[in-house]
Amino acid sequence: MPAPSDDVLIERKKLKVGVETVSNQQSTDFPGHWPGESHEWDLNHFKNNMRIEFNHEHANKLDLTFSLIGIDTSLANALRRILISEVPTLAIEDVFIYQNTSIIQDEVLAHRLGLVPLRGNRDALRWLRWYQKDEEVPDHEPKSDENCVRLSLNIECRWKEGGLEKTKQGVTDPDELYENHNVYARDFSFEPWERQTEKFGDDGVRSSHPDILVAKMRPGQHIELLMHAFKGIGQDHAKFSPVATATYRLLPTIDILKPIVGADAKKFARCFPKGVIRLDKVTSEDASAHEECAGKEGDAKAVVDNPSLDTVSRECLRHPEFVDKVKLGRMRDHFIFRIESTGQWDSDELFLESIRLLKVKAARIKRGLRRIDALVQ
Amino acid sequence: MAAKPIIQGQEFPVITPTSIKDIDEIPVSIDQERVHVLPGSTKTAASFQFDGEDHTLGNALRYIIMKNPDVEFCGYSIPHPSEAKMNIRIQSYDDADVFDILEKGLQDLMDMCDVVTEKFTIAREEFHSNKMQS
């Protein structure tokens, strides 16, 4: 049986997007699916066909877009799931409130504090251990400098000098009247203990977004509290998730089956976001090759420019003039991955960590697997 | 949270974040306790149960095991959404041992992770050096 041509292989990898249906979603690269083809797992084949291309990285290194090409959905999805729920991060877990006379209730305040993303020296964060919080276990690991980061917040709202007089004059802008009426994440102070002073250095542990508004106060109100931050995973609570989003989408494909020319071409381009369709001129070759182009030399002709910008809105399928002229789809093995970190780790570090954790998962099952020969008799 | 087996009076979560220290810090006995072979299994057709695993490992492992030509069938399921358990069923052709198949699947998955890490690191370096030049 002849090996399938490249065109056939590409066609197999395309999800077909119809007006109201999506078909050909399932992977078929398994032994026994296609007669006469192997599809057996082959590391070298994977090595040769898998590609990663970086597309965009924000200057702060927190927002990263890259393409993962030549990999199955089950693996891309495993990495995405690990990024969201299994990469450990540090977040505030215990809050000890000594004074809170603001209008925001203790438990609401504590919840808000927990959601504040933290950052600090990466090596020190790596050095931190997992804290097993379970008071019922008698000899559970105690809180120590190795698993607990302490932060404090002590802030009181006061009248500014001359603020009272200003109120009498009818000024209502709180910025002019009060001091500390907004409590921000930048007001946290790091309370290092033992080895933490040296490990975390001068910057200490602070919020990765200092402008997060935690509470609002009025003169005379006072918040005084101590926070304990631990390492945890997103599976336990979303505050431990290292990413704001970790998503992927499949690369859209647009196949123009018959030439779309003239006014239709402009209309066609407007069915897509900017940059997806380009308008070229009909050449003399086009004019002789296709009847649709005959005598229309120099007119506009729709050409696919950058399909990755498409949102696959399927707008072009609504218009009768494009029926049977265009086919929409998506490449099943081309993932446009986007990782937006909350700030504790850089996005590229997070992705590498997610691969490492997947490998650890497999390694742990492998070493836990005992051949139960008695059972197999 | 996942169910926690008690070992030597100390509790360990089934899914221990391992980024903190090495995997060797987690006792092997924990992993041995959470991998089960379900009753009725034979050498060529077995169901395994992994405590504390979910679709993350389930689907990836299913895919890679299905790539093995000795495998007649492989599927996984989460029997109940509120129990952190994942079942995987493997049936093999001829006399192929399902334990070998599962071990090979896990090894292939680990090899694949190494390739992705390597490719990602190279792509990152290229991207950064191109950025420097432009």
Side-chain angles (χ1 to χ4, degrees):
Chain A
M1 200 164 287
S5 67
D6 288 351
D7 288 347
V8 172
L9 286 177
I10 288 172
E11 219 37 55
R12 269 186 205 169
K13 282 196 270 186
K14 268 186 199 164
L15 251 116
K16 294 185 176 64
V17 177
V19 186
E20 280 161 351
T21 51
V22 177
S23 53
N24 197 31
Q25 302 112 312
Q26 225 148 20
S27 305
T28 54
D29 53 340
F30 300 113
H33 190 98
W34 299 98
E37 294 173 30
S38 162
H39 292 292
E40 185 181 351
W41 171 251
D42 177 357
L43 191 65
N44 281 323
H45 181 265
F46 178 72
K47 247 184 210 167
N48 296 335
N49 285 280
M50 202 243 152
R51 277 186 298 137
I52 292 181
E53 287 166 10
F54 272 52
N55 302 335
H56 179 76
E57 189 179 41
H58 192 275
N60 62 15
K61 300 199 86 186
L62 299 185
D63 188 352
L64 175 69
T65 313
F66 60 92
S67 294
L68 203 57
I69 307 155
I71 196 165
D72 190 71
T73 313
S74 59
L75 288 133
N77 193 42
L79 296 173
R80 184 193 62 84
R81 286 174 62 98
I82 291 174
L83 277 167
I84 292 171
S85 70
E86 286 182 58
V87 178
T89 52
L90 187 74
I92 293 161
E93 170 80 7
D94 289 343
V95 179
F96 305 92
I97 299 178
Y98 299 113
Q99 182 67 283
N100 175 22
T101 49
S102 74
I103 53 157
I104 185 161
Q105 298 93 329
D106 290 3
E107 66 275 20
V108 181
L109 181 64
H111 178 245
R112 290 177 68 78
L113 291 168
L115 295 168
V116 172
L118 302 173
R119 77 182 312 171
N121 183 292
R122 301 273 156 80
D123 290 328
L125 287 172
R126 265 184 218 111
W127 165 78
L128 280 181
R129 296 166 61 96
W130 166 255
Y131 172 67
Q132 182 58 45
K133 186 188 177 183
D134 206 335
E135 271 80 31
E136 283 172 19
V137 182
D139 54 349
H140 77 277
E141 212 182 332
K143 284 178 185 173
S144 73
D145 61 334
E146 238 191 334
N147 59 29
C148 174
V149 169
R150 300 185 303 187
L151 298 153
S152 68
L153 177 65
N154 190 354
I155 194 163
E156 199 175 349
C157 181
R158 285 198 195 85
W159 286 99
K160 264 188 181 166
E161 227 172 280
L164 264 174
E165 285 72 52
K166 279 191 184 165
T167 346
K168 284 172 194 155
Q169 290 157 18
V171 178
T172 52
D173 181 8
D175 287 332
E176 286 187 36
L177 301 175
Y178 323 122
E179 244 166 39
N180 291 336
H181 65 284
N182 283 341
V183 182
Y184 292 104
R186 70 168 94 93
D187 299 322
F188 295 177
S189 53
F190 178 45
E191 308 279 346
W193 49 322
E194 295 173 33
R195 284 165 290 178
Q196 286 181 2
T197 321
E198 168 208 341
K199 292 266 180 194
F200 282 99
D202 295 339
D203 287 342
V205 175
R206 63 214 180 276
S207 172
S208 46
H209 301 276
D211 292 336
I212 294 172
L213 184 64
V214 178
K216 287 195 167 197
M217 295 199 290
R218 283 297 175 263
Q221 296 180 349
H222 184 193
I223 292 176
E224 186 184 353
L225 48 83
L226 186 67
M227 296 167 267
H228 284 181
F230 304 119
K231 259 193 173 177
I233 54 173
Q235 227 160 36
D236 181 29
H237 193 291
K239 70 185 172 190
F240 291 119
S241 183
V243 291
T245 54
T247 60
Y248 56 69
R249 63 193 178 95
L250 296 173
L251 177 77
T253 59
I254 303 157
D255 296 316
I256 298 175
L257 307 172
K258 288 178 197 159
I260 298 169
V261 289
D264 276 1
K266 282 180 189 143
K267 185 174 178 185
F268 187 71
R270 278 203 302 275
C271 292
F272 295 90
K274 245 184 200 155
V276 176
I277 302 293
R278 188 180 68 222
L279 294 179
D280 280 3
K281 294 267 184 295
V282 176
T283 59
S284 49
E285 291 99 75
D286 290 334
S288 52
H290 305 283
E291 51 174 307
E292 289 91 346
C293 300
K296 289 184 177 167
E297 245 170 87
D299 277 13
K301 186 183 98 171
V303 179
V304 179
D305 193 10
N306 186 358
S308 74
L309 295 173
D310 190 18
T311 55
V312 197
S313 65
R314 302 172 351 273
E315 171 69 11
C316 65
L317 302 179
R318 293 178 64 232
H319 301 283
E321 52 267 58
F322 306 133
V323 168
D324 297 332
K325 285 191 172 177
V326 60
K327 213 166 74 184
L328 298 181
R330 300 190 103 128
M331 293 305 290
R332 200 170 38 224
D333 70 339
H334 187 132
F335 299 88
I336 304 169
F337 226 96
R338 181 167 181 204
I339 303 173
E340 257 183 272
S341 165
T342 54
Q344 192 160 113
W345 303 96
D346 289 342
S347 292
D348 55 335
E349 291 175 314
L350 284 173
F351 186 71
L352 288 172
E353 184 65 12
S354 73
I355 308 170
R356 202 185 69 86
L357 287 174
L358 180 62
K359 194 180 168 189
V360 166
K361 263 176 186 288
R364 287 187 61 186
I365 296 291
K366 196 169 174 230
R367 69 176 194 171
L369 187 68
R370 285 172 301 177
R371 283 166 191 267
I372 303 155
D373 291 324
L375 180 142
V376 179
Q377 274 168 6
Chain B
M1 273 297 276
K4 299 165 187 171
I6 295 172
I7 286 157
Q8 292 158 358
Q10 203 173 358
E11 271 198 33
F12 286 90
V14 169
I15 304 168
T16 312
T18 40
S19 76
I20 307 150
K21 294 281 154 72
D22 212 4
I23 149 174
D24 297 328
E25 256 198 19
I26 309 159
V28 180
S29 56
I30 288 185
D31 291 329
Q32 286 173 341
E33 295 261 324
R34 70 194 190 100
V35 174
H36 311 280
V37 182
L38 295 179
S41 298
T42 66
K43 190 170 160 273
T44 57
S47 295
F48 300 89
Q49 185 165 68
F50 305 146
D51 294 345
E53 292 298 344
D54 55 10
H55 299 279
T56 306
L57 185 72
N59 200 13
L61 194 57
R62 187 219 94 234
Y63 169 78
I64 210 110
I65 290 175
M66 278 173 76
K67 291 281 262 179
N68 189 332
D70 291 335
V71 174
E72 182 194 30
F73 172 84
C74 181
Y76 84 100
S77 82
I78 311 285
H80 194 280
S82 56
E83 278 183 317
K85 291 179 191 310
M86 190 267 289
N87 289 2
I88 189 158
R89 170 94 182 156
I90 306 169
Q91 289 169 210
S92 68
Y93 284 121
D94 303 325
D95 256 345
D97 188 334
V98 284
F99 284 86
D100 292 340
I101 289 169
L102 179 58
E103 263 185 4
K104 182 182 182 299
L106 291 162
Q107 188 56 51
D108 288 344
L109 195 59
M110 283 150 69
D111 295 343
M112 186 181 221
C113 290
D114 290 337
V115 174
V116 180
T117 307
E118 189 189 319
K119 297 257 180 181
F120 185 84
T121 320
I122 295 169
R124 181 175 65 178
E125 269 166 34
E126 270 176 20
F127 180 73
H128 286 154
S129 64
N130 287 344
K131 229 181 181 179
M132 295 279 192
Q133 283 164 13
S134 59

